[in-house]
Amino acid sequence: MAEAKALRRAFGTFATGVTVVTTGGTIPHAMTANSFTSVSLDPPLVLVCVDRSAVMHRCLTTTGLFGVCVLAAHQEAAARHFADRWRTLGAAQFDDVDWLPGEITGVPLLEGTLARFECELWRTYDGGDHTIFIGKVLSMEQQTDREALLVFNGKFRQITPDWSEVTA
């Protein structure tokens, strides 16, 4: 079997978008995640993978409702904030970011994102040291006037403009 660090580096060669997954309830929580994908259009399903030792794992299991915010290129600071294991937890972790409560679930949703989803937990599956959480999408909002924040080779990246469109 591959060494864990080498495997992590190899996985990092796949460029992904960056999300912040949120839960509400009495103790709201958020975490940065790039393990997010669409699963189905009918019913509308998405998945996030969460390490079993993460605070978010317990939060998702307990609340059964969550949000997914797809970050825009200008939101690297938010991505870093919610990836920081040493940040203040609970409602205070949202003090330095603009957010609003989801209209259906009340989960915190970040403002200025490319897309936001409110979800209810639909199924969970064993994923080794992670759990695969599948959520049914209850609501969705999208902005088309922004570029995406990406992660590639362990670093945040941005999509460069298509110069053929800029010069046309």
Side-chain angles (χ1 to χ4, degrees):
M1 183 61 201
E3 177 194 343
K5 285 184 181 182
L7 188 57
R8 185 181 197 95
R9 280 192 306 274
F11 286 159
T13 64
F14 182 71
T16 65
V18 181
T19 68
V20 170
V21 178
T22 61
T23 57
T26 56
I27 304 175
H29 188 66
M31 75 167 213
T32 301
N34 66 344
S35 59
F36 163 78
T37 193
S38 62
V39 175
S40 169
L41 293 175
D42 187 19
L45 302 174
V46 297
L47 74 73
V48 293
C49 298
V50 179
D51 189 303
R52 292 178 188 279
S53 66
V55 172
M56 180 57 75
H57 192 279
R58 185 178 66 253
C59 293
L60 279 169
T61 304
T62 303
T63 66
L65 299 171
F66 63 98
V68 179
C69 304
V70 181
L71 299 188
H74 71 277
Q75 294 180 303
E76 182 178 334
R80 290 185 182 282
H81 172 71
F82 290 114
D84 180 359
R85 293 177 191 252
W86 310 114
R87 74 182 179 282
T88 302
L89 297 181
Q93 69 188 293
F94 294 95
D95 287 350
D96 294 330
V97 296
D98 292 329
W99 66 277
L100 63 147
E103 290 184 17
I104 296 174
T105 64
V107 299
L109 298 172
L110 304 187
E111 295 199 61
T113 59
L114 290 175
R116 296 188 292 239
F117 304 90
E118 288 181 89
C119 305
E120 69 178 342
L121 189 57
W122 192 68
R123 303 273 193 286
T124 61
Y125 297 97
D126 181 9
D129 59 1
H130 283 58
T131 296
I132 302 163
F133 291 93
I134 297 185
K136 183 174 183 181
V137 177
L138 302 174
S139 76
M140 180 273 305
E141 291 182 49
Q142 179 186 8
Q143 299 295 321
T144 58
D145 62 342
R146 301 177 178 125
E147 295 294 337
L149 181 63
L150 303 176
V151 67
F152 176 71
N153 281 338
K155 296 179 182 173
F156 290 110
R157 312 288 178 142
Q158 296 178 16
I159 297 173
T160 57
D162 182 344
W163 292 109
S164 64
E165 292 177 11
V166 173
T167 58

